Amino acid sequence: MLLVVAALIVAFVLLLYMISLLISPKPLKLNGAHVVVTGGSSGIGKCIAIECYRQGAFITLVARDEDKLLQAKREVEKFAINDKQVVLCISVDVSSDYSHVESVIKQAQEKLGPVDMLVNCAGTSLSGKFEEVEVDRFKKLMEVNYLGSVYPTRAVITTMKERRMGRIMFVSSQAGQIGLFGYTAYSPSKFALRGLAESLQMEIKPYNIYVTVAYPPDTDTPGLTEENKTKPLETKLISETSGVCQPDQVAKIVVRDAVQGNFNSSVGPDGYMLSALTCGMSPVTSITEALQQIVTMGLFRTIALFYLGSFDSIVRRCMIQREQSKAANKRE
């Protein structure tokens, strides 16, 4: 009897797997595809460009700093697999003026053809206590991290719908899945990307266009180095509970997920757990993914409660130490 039950379970799982293959998006072939990467002059964006280029894609790098763009172009070109590939550089602030962004994207399409995949990686980070962050910084982060993804996406979406194909990636952050001490300005700008992505995916799925939201953890990039200079102690201690990833490792994972048409892209065990915990009403691209989320939700929620308790304990300890230090200074 046990053998029969086991056989039925195996057969059911195999059936679900076969059905999942039938309903999953057809992978995008990067060889010969035109990939636009905003924020492509450094960090994760540059590594994503390299990963796509080494698979045969034509690349448009978009960023503000012309010198960094040219340097990134030379680095990307080292990974060519044929002599036809091209790396185009465009210097523009993707968060400032939509008409300008639309114009440069049009120029890129005239030179390298319609955009097959857009990677929205332009962004900036800031950490600090809520009352210590300057008010205009809240606005700036929303402009760069949110509108800096809205504008390029708006510029390519019409052509993608006409061609009935395409991929759009939004590079968010694990701080876009969970709000943490010190990220009252940063986290909302990254959370916003998911709302945009979910709404947009429902609109464009009938046109065979798929959206991916990537949630990388702390990654060894110039942006993280800059952020660490002003990061509050509490935020540092919480961040240290998980490791720092390398940008090339992140790039391989998120490019693979975007090509496959996966909505969520996570890195490492912590990332997988967070994506399962926060899946909510987000789209799924396979029955297997949905079953994994259903089965693991309870266990992951239990683990998450321990994490949250640990984070709260860190914040309390830092507050007590700070108050004790102030009291000692007054006595002196």
Side-chain angles (χ1 to χ4, degrees):
M1 187 63 184
L2 289 175
L3 288 175
V4 172
V5 172
L8 288 173
I9 292 173
V10 171
F12 179 67
V13 171
L14 288 174
L15 177 62
L16 288 177
Y17 177 73
M18 295 302 294
I19 294 173
S20 178
L21 291 177
L22 291 175
I23 66 173
S24 296
K26 184 179 179 181
L28 175 71
K29 293 181 180 178
L30 285 178
N31 196 343
H34 180 193
V35 179
V36 174
V37 184
T38 70
S41 63
S42 64
I44 295 174
K46 182 177 70 175
C47 288
I48 288 175
I50 290 172
E51 181 63 26
C52 293
Y53 200 66
R54 73 198 313 165
Q55 294 186 42
F58 290 69
I59 304 294
T60 297
L61 295 174
V62 181
R64 292 175 296 178
D65 192 311
E66 289 188 29
D67 292 336
K68 288 183 179 179
L69 272 172
L70 292 174
Q71 182 180 345
K73 172 183 167 72
R74 289 190 290 269
E75 291 183 47
V76 173
E77 287 174 336
K78 295 176 183 177
F79 295 88
I81 63 171
N82 62 66
D83 56 6
K84 295 181 180 180
Q85 286 175 270
V86 176
V87 180
L88 178 66
C89 292
I90 296 178
S91 177
V92 65
D93 182 351
V94 293
S95 67
S96 63
D97 180 9
Y98 171 68
S99 61
H100 194 190
V101 174
E102 184 181 36
S103 175
V104 297
I105 293 294
K106 184 178 179 181
Q107 292 173 25
Q109 293 191 112
E110 288 172 352
K111 293 180 180 179
L112 300 182
V115 176
D116 296 291
M117 183 162 83
L118 169 66
V119 180
N120 291 293
C121 198
T124 186
S125 61
L126 173 71
S127 59
K129 293 181 182 179
F130 179 69
E131 69 276 16
E132 295 176 1
V133 176
E134 295 180 7
V135 173
D136 62 343
R137 297 296 292 166
F138 287 88
K139 179 182 178 182
K140 184 63 177 178
L141 260 68
M142 287 300 296
E143 288 175 345
V144 175
N145 294 344
Y146 178 67
L147 293 179
S149 292
V150 171
Y151 293 165
T153 303
R154 182 69 175 76
V156 304
I157 201 68
T158 300
T159 304
M160 284 188 175
K161 289 175 78 171
E162 289 172 353
R163 298 175 67 222
R164 291 183 178 271
M165 65 167 292
R167 295 288 190 273
I168 297 171
M169 183 196 301
F170 297 102
V171 179
S172 179
S173 163
Q174 286 188 354
Q177 295 173 294
I178 175 174
L180 295 173
F181 188 106
Y183 287 137
T184 52
Y186 178 66
S187 280
S189 68
K190 290 298 188 177
F191 266 85
L193 291 175
R194 173 172 168 170
L196 169 63
E198 289 189 4
S199 301
L200 183 62
Q201 179 64 97
M202 191 174 289
E203 289 187 19
I204 62 180
K205 187 176 180 180
Y207 295 90
N208 194 37
I209 306 168
Y210 289 89
V211 175
T212 297
V213 187
Y215 298 104
D218 279 349
T219 306
D220 187 12
T221 64
L224 180 65
T225 302
E226 191 65 27
E227 178 192 333
N228 283 338
K229 293 178 181 178
T230 58
K231 186 177 285 184
L233 176 60
E234 293 89 340
T235 312
K236 287 182 181 178
L237 293 174
I238 290 172
S239 297
E240 288 171 0
T241 60
S242 61
V244 176
C245 288
Q246 293 303 308
D248 57 340
Q249 174 194 5
V250 172
K252 285 182 172 63
I253 293 171
V254 301
V255 168
R256 179 198 65 202
D257 285 333
V259 165
Q260 295 294 331
N262 297 333
F263 184 78
N264 287 305
S265 180
S266 58
V267 179
D270 288 348
Y272 177 76
M273 182 179 75
L274 270 176
S275 290
L277 276 171
T278 61
C279 61
M281 291 286 288
S282 63
V284 291
T285 47
S286 73
I287 294 175
T288 305
E289 179 188 7
L291 285 175
Q292 288 173 346
Q293 291 170 351
I294 293 169
V295 171
T296 60
M297 182 70 76
L299 173 63
F300 285 166
R301 178 57 176 166
T302 303
I303 297 172
L305 291 174
F306 283 99
Y307 270 100
L308 290 171
S310 172
F311 297 161
D312 286 339
S313 177
I314 288 172
V315 174
R316 283 195 299 271
R317 287 202 310 270
C318 289
M319 183 188 71
I320 292 170
Q321 289 172 4
R322 195 173 291 112
E323 290 179 346
Q324 289 175 342
S325 178
K326 286 181 181 179
N329 289 335
K330 286 182 179 179
R331 285 196 297 269
E332 292 175 0

